[in-house]
Coordinates of all heavy atoms in Angstrom, one line a residue:
G649 N -3.1 -1.6 2.9 CA -2.1 -2.4 2.4 C -2.4 -3.1 1.2 O -3.4 -2.7 0.5
A650 N -1.6 -4.0 0.8 CA -1.6 -4.6 -0.6 C -3.0 -5.2 -0.9 O -3.4 -5.2 -2.1 CB -0.6 -5.7 -0.8
G651 N -3.7 -5.7 0.1 CA -5.1 -6.3 -0.1 C -6.0 -5.2 -0.7 O -7.1 -5.6 -1.4
A654 N -5.8 -5.6 -4.3 CA -6.0 -6.9 -4.9 C -7.1 -7.1 -5.9 O -6.9 -7.8 -6.9 CB -6.1 -8.0 -3.7
E655 N -8.2 -6.5 -5.6 CA -9.4 -6.6 -6.5 C -9.3 -5.7 -7.8 O -10.1 -5.7 -8.6 CB -10.7 -6.2 -5.8 CG -11.1 -7.4 -4.9 CD -11.9 -7.0 -3.7 OE1 -11.4 -6.1 -2.8 OE2 -13.0 -7.5 -3.4
T660 N -0.9 -9.2 -4.0 CA -0.4 -8.8 -2.7 C 1.1 -9.3 -2.6 O 1.5 -10.2 -3.3 CB -1.2 -9.4 -1.5 OG1 -1.1 -10.7 -1.4 CG2 -2.7 -9.0 -1.7
F661 N 1.7 -8.9 -1.5 CA 3.1 -9.4 -1.4 C 3.2 -10.8 -0.9 O 4.1 -11.5 -1.3 CB 3.7 -8.4 -0.3 CG 4.3 -7.2 -0.9 CD1 3.5 -6.2 -1.1 CD2 5.7 -7.2 -1.4 CE1 3.9 -5.0 -1.7 CE2 6.0 -6.0 -2.0 CZ 5.3 -4.9 -2.2
R662 N 2.3 -11.2 0.0 CA 2.4 -12.6 0.6 C 1.6 -13.6 -0.2 O 1.5 -14.8 0.2 CB 2.2 -12.5 2.0 CG 3.4 -11.9 2.7 CD 3.2 -11.4 4.1 NE 4.5 -10.6 4.5 CZ 4.7 -9.5 4.2 NH1 4.0 -8.7 3.5 NH2 6.0 -8.9 4.5
A678 N 12.0 -7.6 -2.6 CA 12.0 -6.2 -2.1 C 13.0 -5.9 -0.9 O 12.7 -5.5 0.1 CB 10.5 -6.0 -1.6
Q727 N 0.6 1.7 2.7 CA 1.9 1.0 2.5 C 2.0 0.7 1.0 O 3.1 0.3 0.7 CB 1.8 -0.2 3.3 CG 1.7 0.0 4.8 CD 1.4 -1.3 5.5 OE1 2.3 -2.1 5.8 NE2 0.1 -1.6 5.6
H745 N 5.7 3.6 2.2 CA 6.8 2.7 1.6 C 7.1 3.2 0.2 O 7.7 2.4 -0.6 CB 6.3 1.3 1.5 CG 6.2 0.6 2.9 ND1 5.4 -0.5 3.2 CD2 6.6 1.0 4.1 CE1 5.5 -0.8 4.5 NE2 6.2 0.1 5.0
V790 N 10.5 1.8 -0.3 CA 11.3 1.3 0.9 C 11.4 -0.2 0.9 O 10.4 -0.9 0.8 CB 10.5 1.8 2.1 CG1 11.2 1.4 3.4 CG2 10.3 3.3 2.1
F792 N 12.8 -3.8 2.8 CA 13.0 -4.4 4.1 C 14.3 -3.9 4.7 O 15.3 -4.0 4.0 CB 12.8 -5.9 4.1 CG 11.5 -6.4 3.9 CD1 11.1 -6.9 2.7 CD2 10.6 -6.2 4.9 CE1 9.8 -7.3 2.5 CE2 9.2 -6.6 4.8 CZ 8.9 -7.2 3.6
G818 N -6.8 -4.4 4.4 CA -6.0 -5.2 3.4 C -4.5 -5.2 3.8 O -3.6 -5.2 2.9
T819 N -4.2 -5.2 5.1 CA -2.7 -5.4 5.5 C -2.6 -6.6 6.4 O -3.4 -6.8 7.3 CB -2.1 -4.1 6.0 OG1 -0.7 -4.5 6.4 CG2 -2.9 -3.7 7.3
S820 N -1.5 -7.3 6.2 CA -1.2 -8.5 7.0 C -0.7 -8.0 8.4 O -0.6 -8.8 9.4 CB -0.2 -9.4 6.4 OG 1.0 -8.8 6.1
G821 N -0.3 -6.8 8.5 CA 0.2 -6.2 9.8 C 1.5 -6.8 10.3 O 1.7 -6.8 11.5
V823 N 4.6 -5.8 8.9 CA 5.8 -5.0 8.6 C 5.7 -3.7 9.4 O 4.8 -2.9 9.3 CB 5.9 -4.6 7.1 CG1 7.0 -3.7 6.8 CG2 6.1 -5.9 6.3
N844 N -10.8 -7.1 6.4 CA -9.8 -8.0 5.7 C -10.6 -9.3 5.8 O -11.2 -9.7 6.7 CB -8.6 -8.2 6.6 CG -7.4 -8.8 5.9 OD1 -7.6 -9.9 5.4 ND2 -6.2 -8.2 5.9
P845 N -10.5 -10.1 4.7 CA -11.1 -11.4 4.6 C -10.5 -12.4 5.6 O -11.2 -13.4 5.9 CB -11.0 -11.8 3.1 CG -9.9 -11.1 2.6 CD -9.8 -9.8 3.4
D846 N -9.3 -12.2 6.0 CA -8.6 -13.2 6.8 C -8.2 -12.6 8.1 O -8.0 -11.3 8.2 CB -7.4 -13.7 6.0 CG -7.8 -14.6 4.9 OD1 -8.7 -15.3 5.0 OD2 -7.1 -14.4 3.8
T848 N -5.4 -11.5 10.8 CA -4.1 -10.9 10.6 C -3.3 -10.7 11.8 O -4.0 -10.9 12.9 CB -4.1 -9.6 9.9 OG1 -4.6 -8.7 10.8 CG2 -5.0 -9.5 8.7
T861 N -14.0 -8.0 1.9 CA -12.9 -7.5 1.1 C -13.1 -5.9 1.0 O -14.2 -5.5 1.2 CB -12.9 -8.1 -0.3 OG1 -14.0 -7.6 -1.0 CG2 -13.0 -9.6 -0.2
A862 N -12.1 -5.3 0.5 CA -12.1 -3.9 0.3 C -13.2 -3.5 -0.6 O -14.0 -2.6 -0.3 CB -10.8 -3.4 -0.2
Ligands
LIG1833 P1 0.5 -8.4 2.5 O1 0.7 -9.1 1.2 O2 1.4 -8.8 3.6 O3 -0.9 -8.7 3.0 C1 -2.1 -8.5 2.2 C2 -3.3 -8.5 3.1 O4 -4.4 -8.3 2.4 C3 -3.6 -9.9 3.8 O5 -3.9 -9.8 5.1 C4 -4.8 -10.5 3.0 O6 -5.7 -11.3 3.8 C5 -5.5 -9.2 2.7 N1 -6.3 -9.2 1.5 C6 -6.3 -10.0 0.4 N2 -7.1 -9.7 -0.5 C7 -7.9 -8.7 0.0 C8 -9.1 -7.9 -0.4 N3 -9.6 -8.2 -1.6 N4 -9.6 -7.0 0.5 C9 -9.0 -6.8 1.7 N5 -7.9 -7.4 2.1 C10 -7.3 -8.4 1.3 O7 0.5 -6.9 2.1 P2 0.9 -5.7 3.1 O8 0.4 -5.9 4.5 O9 0.6 -4.4 2.5 O10 6.7 -3.4 2.0 O11 2.6 -5.8 3.3 C11 3.2 -4.9 4.0 C12 4.5 -4.5 3.3 O12 5.3 -5.7 3.1 C13 4.3 -4.0 1.9 O13 4.1 -2.6 1.9 C14 5.7 -4.3 1.4 C15 5.7 -5.7 1.8 O14 6.9 -6.3 1.6 C16 7.8 -3.2 1.5 O15 8.1 -3.5 0.4 C17 8.8 -2.5 2.5

Side-chain angles (χ1 to χ4, degrees):
E655 286 151 300
T660 70
F661 276 85
R662 284 160 186 87
Q727 297 167 87
H745 294 163
V790 177
F792 284 107
T819 179
S820 56
V823 177
N844 197 308
D846 291 320
T848 74
T861 73

